[in-house]
Amino acid sequence: MELIKRKKWVDFGKGISIFLVLLFHSEEYYSNGDFSLSFIFSFFRMPFFFFISGYLFTSDYKNFSIRRKLKQIFRGIVWTYLIFTSIIVIPKCISNGVPIINGVKDILLGWAAWFVAALGVAQLMFAVILCKVKNLKVIFGIILLYLIMGYYIKYIDIDKWPFHFEKSVLVVFYLGLGFFYRIYEYKLEKIINWKYLILAGFIYFSLVANEFLVIKTTYNVFWGGEYKNYPLFILYSLAGVLFMLLFVKCLKPLKMFCFIGANSLVFYYINGGTIKILRYIFNKVGLQELNLGYLGTLFMLFCSIACISVVVLFIRKYCPIVIGDKVAFNNFFGKRLNACKKESF
C-alpha cells in the first residue's frame, strides 16, 4: 500500500511541475496581456521535478547497479529524446524560420530539448557518483561541489554548452536532495502536515513577493543567459521545493495532474508545437479578436493539455515503444537481438 501511495504523490508532483511549464509556454506563445502567473512558480517548477527524479533514482544506493541505471537512462531519456526531437525537427524549423540543418545540429548537440538533455547528463553524472561512493557524507559534499561548479562555469562562460552541461551540474544538486530525502523520508514524516505546509507556503511566497517588489534582479538559472543573485535563486528554489513536497503529500492527488506526471516527457516534448498549431486555428476562427485577456491564455493551456492527452492515449495504446515503455521496448529489442544471434550461428 505504501508503494502505491508513494507513486501517487510522485506523479502528482511531477504533473504539477510540468503543468507549470505548460502554463509558462502558454504565456510565451499565446499571451493575452502583460500579466504573468507562471513567474510566481518559476523558481521551483523545474527544481522540484529534478528533486523527484532524484527521489526515484534508486531504492538501494548500497547495491546500486550502474549498468541497470544506464539502461534506464537510455530507454527513458536518450531514446525518447531522439524519437521526439527527430519527429518535430522539420515542423519546428519551418515554424521558427530556421534551416533544417540547424535543427539537426541542435539534436546532436543536445540543444533541442534542454530540460531532457540536462536531466539525462545529470543522471549519468549522479550514477557515476553512486557507483564510486557509498559514504553519504561524501556524496553530500560532492553534490555541494556540483552546485558551486555550476556557478563557476557560468561565471567564466555565459554561452550554453553541448547537452547543457552548465545546467546539468546544477541538476545534480537537486537530484541529490531527492536522493537524500528518500533515505530519510520516514524520519521526516512528522513535518508532513498542514501546519508546516502553511508555514512553508508563507515563507516561499514572502520571498517571491520580496523579489518581485524589492530585489527584482534574481535570474532563474535554468533559462537565464547569466546568473544574478545566484544564492538567492538557490534559497528560493529550496523553499519552493519544500513547499511543493508538503503540498503534494498533504493533498489528495488529482487525476489530471497524475496523468500529466506519468507522461511528463511527452507533454514537455510536444507542448510548444501543440500551442502553435492551436494558436493558428484560434486566429483563423477569430478567437483572439475576442480579447479574453488572461482567460485566453488559460483556455489555450487547457486546450493544449486536452490535445496532448489524446496523443498520449493513442501512443500508449498503439505504439508504446515511442515513449520508452519498458515491456514494449524490451520485447522489440529482445526479438531483434535473438534474431541476430540466430543469424550469427
Side-chain angles (χ1 to χ4, degrees):
M1 291 297 294
E2 179 63 25
L3 183 60
I4 295 175
K5 181 180 179 181
R6 179 179 298 170
K7 182 174 175 56
K8 284 185 177 180
W9 78 257
V10 165
D11 282 340
F12 187 31
K14 289 169 64 179
I16 293 177
S17 291
I18 297 300
F19 176 84
L20 295 175
V21 173
L22 306 186
L23 173 62
F24 171 70
H25 288 167
S26 297
E27 291 178 347
E28 285 289 295
Y29 300 143
Y30 194 72
S31 177
N32 277 278
D34 297 329
F35 180 72
S36 174
L37 184 62
S38 66
F39 167 81
I40 301 173
F41 315 105
S42 63
F43 296 110
F44 70 74
R45 60 179 174 236
M46 297 320 322
F48 186 60
F49 190 98
F50 300 140
F51 174 87
I52 294 179
S53 297
Y55 177 86
L56 296 172
F57 199 78
T58 180
S59 59
D60 185 6
Y61 73 94
K62 293 180 180 178
N63 298 302
F64 178 75
S65 171
I66 193 169
R67 182 177 180 182
R68 186 185 307 131
K69 178 54 66 174
L70 290 177
K71 289 181 179 179
Q72 292 175 356
I73 293 173
F74 178 80
R75 175 172 53 82
I77 297 181
V78 178
W79 171 260
T80 59
Y81 172 84
L82 293 174
I83 291 292
F84 279 97
T85 56
S86 297
I87 290 174
I88 67 177
V89 62
I90 295 178
K92 183 178 180 179
C93 289
I94 293 175
S95 65
N96 292 335
V98 298
I100 295 177
I101 189 63
N102 287 14
V104 175
K105 176 184 176 182
D106 286 347
I107 293 174
L108 296 177
L109 291 176
W111 293 341
W114 81 263
F115 158 62
V116 181
L119 178 61
V121 174
Q123 288 200 4
L124 179 60
M125 290 190 288
F126 197 62
V128 173
I129 294 172
L130 295 188
C131 179
K132 301 295 183 181
V133 183
K134 303 302 179 185
N135 186 294
L136 292 179
K137 291 181 180 179
V138 176
I139 294 173
F140 186 73
I142 292 174
I143 68 171
L144 289 180
L145 286 177
Y146 271 84
L147 184 65
I148 298 171
M149 187 193 308
Y151 176 77
Y152 180 72
I153 290 174
K154 204 65 175 180
Y155 178 79
I156 62 175
D157 184 6
I158 65 172
D159 291 332
K160 61 182 179 181
W161 291 30
F163 297 95
H164 293 278
F165 179 80
E166 79 286 359
K167 296 183 177 70
S168 300
V169 292
L170 297 176
V171 175
V172 171
F173 172 71
Y174 296 100
L175 290 178
L177 293 181
F179 163 80
F180 277 102
Y181 174 69
R182 181 161 189 160
I183 294 175
Y184 298 107
E185 180 175 12
Y186 296 108
K187 293 183 179 180
L188 297 172
E189 281 299 307
K190 59 183 179 182
I191 71 168
I192 307 299
N193 57 55
W194 283 92
K195 178 179 69 175
Y196 286 105
L197 170 60
I198 294 172
L199 178 60
F202 175 78
I203 292 173
Y204 175 75
F205 289 108
S206 296
L207 288 172
V208 172
N210 184 63
E211 170 65 33
F212 182 73
L213 297 174
V214 181
I215 300 176
K216 301 181 180 181
T217 55
T218 302
Y219 282 17
N220 186 319
V221 302
F222 290 110
W223 50 265
E226 58 182 308
Y227 296 168
K228 287 187 177 180
N229 296 341
Y230 182 74
L232 278 181
F233 173 82
I234 301 302
L235 174 64
Y236 298 160
S237 67
L238 292 179
V241 166
L242 176 61
F243 166 68
M244 281 302 301
L245 176 63
L246 294 169
F247 184 86
V248 299
K249 297 200 78 172
C250 287
L251 271 68
K252 181 180 179 180
L254 299 177
K255 290 184 178 179
M256 181 188 77
F257 292 105
C258 289
F259 179 78
I260 295 174
N263 303 280
S264 53
L265 292 188
V266 182
F267 274 88
Y268 177 82
Y269 282 125
I270 65 176
N271 175 245
T274 302
I275 292 176
K276 289 181 179 180
I277 293 173
L278 289 175
R279 181 179 63 189
Y280 176 80
I281 296 174
F282 289 176
N283 290 341
K284 284 294 183 181
V285 300
L287 184 62
Q288 196 159 3
E289 296 176 3
L290 296 178
N291 194 22
L292 298 175
Y294 200 75
L295 288 177
T297 302
L298 295 178
F299 182 68
M300 169 63 80
L301 169 65
F302 287 102
C303 283
S304 66
I305 290 174
C307 292
I308 298 172
S309 297
V310 172
V311 174
V312 168
L313 293 173
F314 179 87
I315 293 175
R316 283 200 169 275
K317 184 174 182 179
Y318 295 106
C319 195
I321 191 175
V322 170
I323 55 176
D325 178 82
K326 184 176 181 179
V327 175
F329 192 88
N330 290 341
N331 286 341
F332 179 82
F333 285 100
K335 291 178 180 179
R336 298 299 181 278
L337 288 174
N338 290 334
C340 290
K341 289 179 181 179
K342 289 180 180 179
E343 289 178 3
S344 64
F345 286 105

